[in-house]
Amino acid sequence: VQESPRPAPGPGRRARGALTRESIVATALRMMDTSGPEAVSIRSLAEELGVGAMTLYTYFRSKDELYDAVRDHALSLSPPPPADGPWEERVRAVMGGLHALLLDHPSLVRLLVARPLAGPEIARLTEAQLAALRDAGFDRATAASVHVTLVYHLLGSAIWETQRHSERSTATVAGSVVVEALPAGEYPTVVDLADALARTSGGPAQFAFGLDLVLAALRARLTRP
Amino acid sequence: VQESPRPAPGPGRRARGALTRESIVATALRMMDTSGPEAVSIRSLAEELGVGAMTLYTYFRSKDELYDAVRDHALSLSPPPPADGPWEERVRAVMGGLHALLLDHPSLVRLLVARPLAGPEIARLTEAQLAALRDAGFDRATAASVHVTLVYHLLGSAIWETQRHSERSTATVAGSVVVEALPAGEYPTVVDLADALARTSGGPAQFAFGLDLVLAALRARLTRP
DNA sequence: ACCTGAACACCGTTCAAGT
DNA sequence: ACCTGAACACCGTTCAAGT
C-alpha cells in the first residue's frame, strides 16, 4: 500500500468531523456558482466533500430537502430589508436586494422556480414586503395581489436572465429571441426593434423599468382611488 | 413462439410508417398533459410510441431539440393575435391567450423556462405584441422594454401557478408561502394576510390585476409624457 | 433513410452492514 | 449517530450493426 487510503484534510477538503448541514449547504452553493447548477448532484457534491454519496443522507432526507436548505441559505445573504421609511423605498429595497442576489448567484434561479416558495427566509422577505404595502394604505386583498404581482416580476426577470446566459451559441440574439435569418417580411417589427431589444433586455435597468411602471400605477391608485 | 414479436398497431399504438416529427411531438405533449412533465423521457416516450429509444434520434438530434419542437407545437395552439384594433386590446389578447394556454398545458411551463425563448411561434407572438406597442405610439426603446416587462409577468405567473399545483402536501399554503406553524410574533403581516393571499393568489384574476397595473401606467405615460 | 440492442457514463435512493 | 459500498431502477446518448 503506497498511499494512505484516506487523504488528510487539505485546502478545499474538509476535516471529517467538520461535516455539518451548514458546511454541506455552503459547499453546494459555492459549487453551483463555480461550475453551474447542472454540475451539482448528490454524488458530485459528496465527492467534492471527500465523503461517500450516502453520507449526505445522514444530514438531509432527500435531494429536495438539501436544495431547499441551499436556497434558504442563499436568500439569507440578501440584505435585511428596512422596517420603516417610505413604503416605496422599502419595496424597492426588498425587490432590488433580491434581484441583485439573483445576479450574483444565477444558479439560485433553478432552486427558486423548481419548488414551492417556502422556508424562513421567504417568510421574512414576504413579511417585509407585505408590511410596506399595508403601511402604504392598501387593504388586505390589494396588498396581497400587489405582492404577488411583484413576485411575478422578480421570478420572470430571473428566468429571463438565466435564459440569456444559457444561450452560448453564436447566433444573434435580441432579447432571447433569435432574429438571425428571421424573414423581415413576416416579422417586420421584431427585425426593426432587434437592436432595441438587444440593448434593453435584462439587467438592473430593465428590472427597474418594470418595477417603476407598477409603482407608478400604485401611486396613482393611492392618490385617487 | 406463442406471441408475434411485433404487436399489430392498435389504439394508442401507431402504425410504424406513420412515425413523423409531428406525431412524436403531439404524443409527447399529450403524455405531459396526462402524466406530468417528469413522466416524459426519451425512453418512456419511445415506449409509448411502440419503438426503440434510439428511433427518436432519427427525427431529432437531441432531447432539447425534441422539447423545443414540443414547445413550438404547443404555442401554435394559442389563438392568432388580432393584427388591428386598439393597442391595449391587442396586448390583452396576446397575454391572455398565452396565460390561458399555460393553464391548459401546465407542463409547458418547464419547456418555456428551461431554454432560450426562440422558434417561429415565439417570433410570431413577439411580432404581434411589439407591433401593438409601436402602434400605441411608444418609441423603439420603450416598446422593447414594455414587451420584456410583459414577458416577465407571463413567465412569473407561469412559474407561480406551477409551484402552487406542485405543492401536494397537506400543509396550509397561502400564496405558496407555507404559513402553517408560522410564529405570528415574527411574521404578523403574513399571518394577518394569509387568507387574502390564499384567496387572491394565482389564476386569471391575479394575472389580470398585474396586467391592469402595467397597462394603467402605460396609458398615463401616453397621455402626459 | 429508418430502426435496433448493447454499452457507457451518469442520476437519486434503498438496503444491509459496518464504526 | 455517522458513514459506507453494492445494488436498483432510472437517465441521455454513442456506437456498430441491421433493414
Side-chain angles (χ1 to χ4, degrees), chain A residues 31 38-50 53 56 67:
Chain A
M31 225 178 140
E38 75 285 349
V40 179
S41 65
I42 293 281
R43 287 168 122 108
S44 66
L45 176 59
E47 196 186 16
E48 174 77 15
L49 289 164
L56 300 183
Y67 282 23

Side-chain angles (χ1 to χ4, degrees), chain A residues 117-207:
Chain A
L117 295 177
E121 290 298 327
I122 297 280
R124 187 187 118 241
L125 293 160
T126 304
E127 171 68 24
Q129 179 131 290
L130 288 175
L133 293 170
R134 287 290 275 155
D135 287 351
F138 294 110
D139 60 42
R140 285 183 178 78
T142 306
S145 289
V146 170
H147 169 66
V148 175
T149 299
L150 293 171
V151 173
Y152 285 7
H153 190 63
L154 188 71
L155 291 176
S157 76
I159 292 291
W160 183 267
E161 314 264 3
T162 304
Q163 286 175 339
R164 299 188 83 218
H165 288 107
S166 80
E167 181 68 28
R168 291 191 195 99
S169 83
T170 57
T172 305
V173 173
S176 284
V177 178
V178 178
V179 294
E180 183 202 14
L182 213 57
E186 262 186 277
Y187 311 108
T189 320
V190 176
V191 172
D192 185 41
L193 270 66
D195 279 354
L197 281 166
R199 218 176 303 116
T200 196
S201 279
Q206 172 65 47
F207 185 79

Side-chain angles (χ1 to χ4, degrees), chain A residues 145 148-149 152, chain B residues 95-96 99-100 102-103 153-154 156-162 164-165 197-211:
Chain A
S145 289
V148 175
T149 299
Y152 285 7
Chain B
M95 296 288 284
H99 187 248
L102 290 170
L103 287 181
H153 190 63
L154 188 72
S157 78
I159 291 291
W160 183 268
E161 314 264 2
T162 305
R164 296 188 86 217
H165 289 105
L197 281 166
R199 217 176 304 118
T200 195
S201 279
Q206 171 66 47
F207 186 78
F209 178 90
L211 184 56

Side-chain angles (χ1 to χ4, degrees), chain B residues 106-196:
Chain B
S107 47
L108 197 82
V109 176
R110 289 204 185 202
L111 305 182
L112 275 179
V113 304
R115 311 245 317 138
L117 295 176
E121 290 299 328
I122 297 279
R124 188 188 119 242
L125 294 160
T126 303
E127 172 67 26
Q129 179 130 289
L130 288 175
L133 293 170
R134 287 290 276 155
D135 288 351
F138 294 110
D139 60 43
R140 284 182 179 79
T142 306
S145 289
V146 171
H147 169 67
V148 175
T149 299
L150 293 170
V151 174
Y152 285 7
H153 190 63
L154 188 72
L155 292 175
S157 78
I159 291 291
W160 183 268
E161 314 264 2
T162 305
Q163 286 175 340
R164 296 188 86 217
H165 289 105
S166 80
E167 180 69 27
R168 290 189 196 101
S169 84
T170 57
T172 306
V173 174
S176 284
V177 177
V178 177
V179 293
E180 184 202 14
L182 213 58
E186 262 186 278
Y187 311 109
T189 320
V190 176
V191 172
D192 185 42
L193 269 66
D195 279 355

